[in-house]
Amino acid sequence: LEDDKVPRSFVFAKGTPGPTVTDLVADVKRMMEPHTASRLKARKHNRVRDFLQVAGQYNVNFFMILSSTDRATYLRLARVPRGPTMQFRVTRFSLAADVASASRRPHSLSGAAFATPPLLVLHGFSKTDKQDQLATVMFQNLFPAIDVGKLNIKSCRRVVLVHQDKEGGKTHLRHYAINATPTGMSKGLKKLLRMGPSGKLGSRMGQLDDIAQLVDRDGYSSESGAETDQENEAVTLPQD
C-alpha cells in the first residue's frame, strides 16, 4: 500500500510534555504504525506550522497532537493542511506498559504485527448527529480502507476500537492485539499446540512412550483456569 492514497500521520507532543505524556505519544505512534513517522521527535521550540511545512513532502494528511496543561491532557486530531480539527480532553488513559504489568500473561507483539495497519471498529456513533458524522469520517480516513476480497486474515494482528459513550459523554479509544487460539479442546491440548515440538516441551516429549504421560504428569488434562469456549466468543477463521 505504498501509494499516495494511504493515510499517513505525524504523532507528536506540543509544548513541554511530562514523562507520562511522552510515553503516551510513543504508544499512539505504535498504534498508528506502519504509516506514521515512528522516529519523529518534537522539540520545545517547534510549532505546528513547522510540521506542516514538511507534511506535504511525506504525503502526511493527519496530525495527532498531544498536549498537557495544569488542568488536563488534550488530544487534537487534525486533517492537514486545511482541517477539520477535533479536540478531545483526555480524562483517563493507560499505557501499554501499565496494561502489561497488570496482566497475568501479557501478550507481547512482534515486529510483524506492526507491519500492517490495525483494523478499525467504530461503535456507538450516531448517523444523524453532525459531530458524530464528522468523528466517523475522521477516524475512518485515519486508516487505510479494507478490500475484503483481497484481505489476508493472517495480516490482521491488531484492532483499534473507538466507542462513543453517549450516556457518559465520552469517547473511548482502545488498541488491542488479535490472538487466534483453538477452541473445543482441553487446556492441555491447547498448551501443547501453542508450544509446539521445539524447546523444553519438545525435549521432554522425546523421553516419553506415550503423550498421555505428559498430560497426566503435568496435569494438563485439568480444565481449571482454562479459557472459556462459549459459543458466542468463538469465530471461524478461513484456513489460508
Side-chain angles (χ1 to χ4, degrees):
L1 293 175
E2 295 300 328
D3 56 56
D4 295 343
K5 296 182 180 179
V6 175
R8 290 178 172 83
S9 62
F10 279 169
V11 181
F12 57 93
K14 183 181 177 183
T16 308
T20 304
V21 174
T22 300
D23 291 340
L24 180 59
V25 170
D27 280 358
V28 175
K29 285 183 179 179
R30 198 70 166 153
M31 179 184 73
M32 298 304 299
E33 288 190 6
H35 303 302
T36 192
S38 302
R39 299 182 180 179
L40 179 69
K41 293 183 179 180
R43 302 183 183 278
K44 182 179 179 180
H45 64 271
N46 285 139
R47 300 292 183 265
V48 174
R49 64 174 177 269
D50 298 329
F51 296 98
L52 283 171
Q53 290 176 356
V54 298
Q57 302 176 24
Y58 298 99
N59 296 321
V60 170
N61 37 34
F62 279 98
F63 285 177
M64 300 183 75
I65 309 170
L66 283 148
S67 59
S68 58
T69 66
D70 295 337
R71 295 184 177 181
T73 299
Y74 298 91
L75 168 66
R76 277 194 292 167
L77 174 60
R79 180 69 184 255
V80 296
R82 298 180 179 86
T85 299
M86 300 188 68
Q87 179 167 288
F88 302 87
R89 180 176 179 177
V90 182
T91 58
R92 185 175 60 178
F93 65 89
S94 297
L95 300 173
D98 298 331
V99 176
S101 63
S103 302
R104 181 181 177 187
R105 295 178 181 176
H107 182 73
S108 59
L109 290 174
S110 64
F114 299 96
T116 54
L119 303 176
L120 174 66
V121 176
L122 298 177
H123 180 265
F125 288 90
S126 170
K127 295 182 179 181
T128 57
D129 183 84
K130 291 185 178 181
Q131 183 171 319
D132 279 11
Q133 289 177 343
L134 174 60
T136 299
V137 173
M138 290 283 279
F139 283 116
Q140 286 177 338
N141 290 335
L142 195 58
F143 301 95
I146 295 175
D147 187 338
V148 178
K150 298 181 180 179
L151 180 66
N152 182 0
I153 194 67
K154 293 182 180 179
S155 67
C156 301
R157 306 289 297 275
R158 300 177 293 130
V159 60
V160 171
L161 169 65
V162 185
H163 168 63
Q164 183 75 332
D165 180 8
K166 286 296 184 181
E167 294 184 359
K170 296 180 181 180
T171 302
H172 300 269
L173 175 66
R174 294 191 174 103
H175 183 207
Y176 294 101
I178 298 176
N179 186 28
T181 57
T183 61
M185 59 182 66
S186 69
K187 180 181 178 182
L189 289 177
K190 287 183 182 180
K191 188 169 184 179
L192 290 175
L193 290 175
R194 185 166 59 245
M195 297 183 68
S198 60
K200 182 179 179 180
L201 180 61
S203 62
R204 293 172 61 187
M205 290 179 65
Q207 303 172 5
L208 303 176
D209 297 324
D210 194 302
I211 189 65
Q213 292 179 265
L214 180 66
V215 174
D216 294 339
R217 178 184 302 176
D218 289 346
Y220 285 170
S221 58
S222 171
E223 287 293 338
S224 61
E227 299 91 339
T228 58
D229 283 340
Q230 301 296 330
E231 183 176 350
N232 59 352
E233 295 178 351
V235 295
T236 301
L237 300 178
Q239 304 299 313
D240 56 2

